[in-house]
Amino acid sequence: MTTPVALAADHGGFELKEAVRLHLEETGVPYRDFGSYTGEPCDYPDMAQAACRAVVAGECGKALLFCGTGVGISMSANKIRGIRACCCSDAFSAEYTRRHNDANALCMGGRVVGPGLGIYLADLFLNTPFEGGRHQRRVDKLMALEGT
């Protein structure tokens, strides 16, 4: 991966983000950390915004986002035009949201997913290609919903 991965978390996802960040660093995957940089309380919509805007602008290829459950930051990310975020806590969903939905943001919950699984899901998400083909039509329809 040549473009960096965008990382962001609120306080509930901070520790999981840090575990994934260290893994990316150890494996040489470029990333940009948009915060939070501490475990102090902050709001997941604020944390999602900068990371997702970097993906939409092409500054980052994908985003890995974290909050307590993964749900709030996923909902926030999906409000940003051009983002297709999914909240995953299992390998099948993390893989197939890339293969079939061309998701560009993976959201995980620090109170749901442990660091070992979180690192595995992040790697799976970052390294799984979009299959295109019949799935492109569906992604196009999904993205057309942004204008409704």
Side-chain angles (χ1 to χ4, degrees), residues 4-131:
V5 175
L7 301 176
D10 74 355
H11 57 284
F14 173 72
E15 288 184 21
L16 183 56
K17 177 192 69 103
E18 285 299 292
V20 171
R21 183 187 65 76
L22 288 172
H23 171 72
L24 296 177
E25 200 165 282
E26 290 168 359
T27 56
V29 175
Y31 65 87
R32 285 183 57 196
D33 188 345
F34 290 90
S36 164
Y37 307 109
T38 71
E40 293 299 311
C42 58
D43 299 330
Y44 53 80
D46 298 333
M47 305 318 300
Q49 188 173 30
C52 290
R53 295 224 184 273
V55 171
V56 172
E59 298 164 12
C60 293
K62 295 181 184 76
L64 300 175
L65 308 173
F66 311 87
C67 69
T69 62
V71 175
I73 205 157
S74 174
M75 295 169 91
S76 299
N78 279 315
K79 295 292 184 182
I80 297 172
R81 184 176 295 276
I83 293 296
R84 291 175 303 284
C86 59
C87 179
C88 296
S89 57
D90 67 276
F92 186 85
S93 298
E95 177 181 352
Y96 277 83
T97 198
R98 283 289 310 130
R99 289 193 186 285
H100 292 184
N101 309 123
D102 198 20
N104 55 10
L106 172 64
C107 305
M108 293 186 277
R111 297 178 182 136
V112 178
V113 174
L117 179 58
I119 289 166
Y120 177 73
L121 297 179
D123 282 346
L124 189 58
F125 181 82
L126 294 175
N127 294 304
T128 299
F130 176 50
E131 290 180 0

